Amino acid sequence: MDRTFSVSRFLKFIFTPMGGVQMTVDRFFEQLAKTVAILGGIVLLGITVLTCTSIIGRSLIGVGLGPIKGDFELVEAGVGFAVCAFLPWCQVQRGHATVDLFTNILSARINRWINLIAETLMALAIFVMTWKLWDGMASKLRYGDTTFILEMPTWWPYAACFSAMVVACVVAIYLVIVRAVELLTGKTNTNLGSGAVH
């Protein structure tokens, strides 16, 4: 019996479904992504309410009401966070736009290679975005920048976005491992989202 160590054997051992271990790990990452997406949704809902209230107040200036002070600053910060918060869920659900016209005629193995390469490139893009958010946050913190109207420290929205992007990085790394295991085992992981229809 060959007992030599290999990365492919190790990954197969760790991620081969045994007693529901893989499903549990998959569910953990899916739940993590979903939780961050729900937070993003709550923020987006708050922004919607804030915007509607501000517009109604603006239209009723004649009766003593007015827009919410600094509404556009809050919207700008909230939308940035929401976009970052939805990214991990989009990754887990394979919700990014794909063009299947050409890949449908290719073999399952070649498609697994394409999936692994695409997942790896997406993970790299997420890492670069996270790194640049960190740089931006550090710069805003160092110079003590604030918004014009509310005088809110501008590093706060950067920190919120960075936190969501760290989750996106963790999810992206896991999904690269999942795609590598799919390639090595020849089996598609059905525990995670099956992907959006495009």
Side-chain angles (χ1 to χ4, degrees):
M1 184 173 167
D2 184 14
R3 294 183 178 274
T4 58
F5 174 80
S6 74
V7 173
S8 63
R9 244 189 230 167
F10 176 72
L11 289 174
K12 281 181 187 177
F13 173 75
I14 295 296
F15 289 97
T16 299
M18 49 185 180
V21 172
Q22 181 182 5
M23 194 164 116
T24 304
V25 173
D26 289 341
R27 289 290 172 254
F28 169 78
F29 282 98
E30 189 173 32
Q31 195 59 47
L32 179 64
K34 186 187 285 187
T35 302
V36 175
I38 289 170
L39 286 174
I42 291 168
V43 168
L44 204 54
L45 183 63
I47 288 168
T48 305
V49 171
L50 174 111
T51 302
C52 292
T53 305
S54 192
I55 290 169
I56 292 167
R58 194 178 308 268
S59 68
L60 297 174
I61 287 177
V63 295
L65 295 176
I68 294 173
K69 182 182 175 185
D71 56 353
F72 65 91
E73 294 174 351
L74 294 170
V75 168
E76 188 178 66
V79 167
F81 171 74
V83 168
C84 294
F86 295 147
L87 189 56
W89 183 245
C90 186
Q91 279 288 98
V92 166
Q93 293 298 309
R94 301 185 78 181
H96 298 295
T98 58
V99 181
D100 299 338
L101 186 64
F102 174 68
T103 57
N104 282 339
I105 61 172
L106 300 175
S107 70
R109 181 160 179 79
I110 292 174
N111 272 306
R112 286 191 184 97
W113 269 109
I114 291 170
N115 288 340
L116 175 59
I117 292 166
E119 204 76 66
T120 303
L121 291 174
M122 192 64 204
L124 287 172
I126 289 171
F127 276 106
V128 169
M129 289 186 282
T130 307
W131 165 43
K132 295 317 288 176
L133 272 169
W134 173 262
D135 277 354
M137 182 181 71
S139 171
K140 301 296 182 188
L141 186 57
R142 184 170 40 248
Y143 293 110
D145 289 352
T146 60
T147 60
F148 183 68
I149 295 173
L150 294 177
E151 296 185 358
M152 173 180 71
T154 52
W155 70 268
W156 290 357
Y158 275 84
C161 292
F162 176 75
S163 301
M165 290 301 289
V166 167
V167 173
C169 285
V170 170
V171 169
I173 291 169
Y174 179 68
L175 291 174
V176 168
I177 294 170
V178 167
R179 301 299 165 239
V181 171
E182 286 178 347
L183 180 65
L184 292 169
T185 61
K187 295 177 184 172
T188 302
N189 185 327
T190 56
N191 297 327
L192 293 170
S194 57
V197 178
H198 303 289

